[in-house]
Amino acid sequence: MKLISQKYMRNIILFILFVVMGAQCAISQVTNGGLKKGSIKEIDAAMARTKGTKYIDENYKITLPLHIIGDTKTHESIPLGDIKATVTIEVINFGQYGNTILQTWNFDSPEIPNQTISWSGKSVHLMPCYDNGIGSFAILRGSTICGQVSCMKQNDGKILWAGITNSVEEAITMREFHKGMSISEVEDVWTQLRFCQFKFSRNSGQYKVYSAYWLDMQKRYNIFGNYKYVMRNDKKYADYYFDSQGKLVKWILYI
């Protein structure tokens, strides 16, 4: 079996480190064989679920084979060779409160760590689309592209999925949370912030919901109509849903 070269292995490992550190990444154009416009069934099926809008704002999950990753730091398109990999995109919808979207990378290699990154909030959306024959699952916060997984069809008809994370600070990309975390693990993340409260909030169906509360500036008026600003630590920033085993299933940030 042909093994991936040491150069590519080094670059892949470096790329994963860039993801963990929050480096900005983007799709590199793949020119081998040229690109071809055409229908891609996964993109078409996803676009049908937008229901006349641009976005999939409902529970949705798709897992795709991952063959290439693009790294803007080295300006390389890195084939994964014989390493089997997938990227999973999942939308967890919370109605009027928005979406949480997870992008999970799984590599069949002990040398490359699997990664889950997420975006959560009222303006977070998944947008399937085409651009010059390239199909794409774009994750947006407002008008900012936070993450993206693109599909390129070559002239020979082969489809190459290229996963990227196009992370920018204002996109509020989270790497601290993933499914299966315990209550104490989630609490440990939040309590690193001074004055944060993390506590049981309510039961919701089969789930126990814990909420994170943090600082907020509020006006306080006296009887004469004058006011002053008071700092409180009771503004809810997030809800976390745990199953009967105390494992994290889903979450939403109120941002």
Side-chain angles (χ1 to χ4, degrees):
M1 180 177 65
K2 183 180 178 182
L3 298 177
I4 193 167
S5 71
Q6 290 184 350
K7 175 186 175 183
Y8 280 146
M9 178 62 73
R10 175 181 60 81
N11 288 336
I12 291 168
I13 293 173
L14 286 174
F15 177 79
I16 298 301
L17 291 176
F18 295 148
V19 171
V20 174
M21 294 168 62
Q24 293 187 19
C25 306
I27 279 291
S28 300
Q29 291 293 332
V30 178
T31 57
N32 295 337
L35 295 177
K36 173 184 176 182
K37 291 185 179 180
S39 178
I40 299 168
K41 64 179 182 179
E42 293 89 348
I43 300 295
D44 293 343
M47 291 179 70
R49 299 185 65 157
T50 62
K51 300 174 182 177
T53 70
K54 294 181 180 179
Y55 310 123
I56 296 179
D57 286 328
E58 63 180 13
N59 292 335
Y60 174 79
K61 186 175 182 179
I62 187 170
T63 298
L64 304 164
L66 185 61
H67 302 294
I68 295 175
I69 53 178
D71 183 356
T72 55
K73 197 170 185 70
T74 61
H75 301 288
E76 290 183 285
S77 293
I78 305 173
L80 293 176
D82 289 336
I83 292 179
K84 293 182 179 180
T86 60
V87 56
T88 298
I89 304 166
E90 182 175 6
V91 179
I92 305 172
N93 179 255
F94 287 87
Q96 63 178 320
Y97 301 112
N99 300 304
T100 294
I101 301 181
L102 313 180
Q103 183 173 291
T104 302
W105 301 44
N106 287 297
F107 297 89
D108 186 18
S109 170
E111 298 183 55
I112 307 177
N114 297 330
Q115 291 290 327
T116 295
I117 53 179
S118 65
W119 302 267
S120 184
K122 196 166 187 176
S123 63
V124 171
H125 304 281
L126 178 64
M127 182 175 71
C129 58
Y130 284 102
D131 184 12
N132 293 324
I134 300 176
S136 180
F137 288 94
I139 302 163
L140 292 87
R141 184 183 296 279
S143 60
T144 299
I145 295 179
C146 310
Q148 190 166 314
V149 178
S150 291
C151 172
M152 289 159 282
K153 182 178 286 189
Q154 299 187 125
N155 285 332
D156 61 4
K158 184 177 181 181
I159 292 178
L160 298 175
W161 287 95
I164 63 106
T165 52
N166 185 17
S167 175
V168 291
E169 289 183 8
E170 59 266 29
I172 312 180
T173 301
M174 306 296 293
R175 294 175 174 81
E176 292 82 3
F177 304 113
H178 58 83
K179 289 186 176 184
M181 292 177 73
S182 67
I183 296 171
S184 61
E185 287 174 329
V186 176
E187 182 177 18
D188 286 345
V189 174
W190 276 99
T191 53
Q192 292 178 40
L193 296 173
R194 293 184 62 189
F195 310 115
C196 179
Q197 300 183 72
F198 187 81
K199 59 187 181 181
F200 174 75
S201 177
R202 66 187 187 278
N203 290 312
S204 177
Q206 60 185 322
Y207 302 116
K208 290 187 178 295
V209 182
Y210 283 72
S211 302
Y213 300 86
W214 199 41
L215 299 176
D216 184 35
M217 188 77 75
Q218 297 180 356
K219 282 184 179 181
R220 179 169 293 177
Y221 290 86
N222 61 25
I223 59 174
F224 303 106
N226 299 319
Y227 66 86
K228 63 180 179 179
Y229 284 98
V230 177
M231 185 70 75
R232 302 173 61 95
N233 71 331
D234 58 358
K235 180 178 179 179
K236 185 188 288 189
Y237 278 83
D239 277 335
Y240 294 84
Y241 292 71
F242 296 88
D243 64 16
S244 59
Q245 304 301 312
K247 299 300 182 182
L248 182 61
V249 175
K250 58 183 181 178
W251 63 93
I252 182 70
L253 301 183
Y254 298 109
I255 56 177

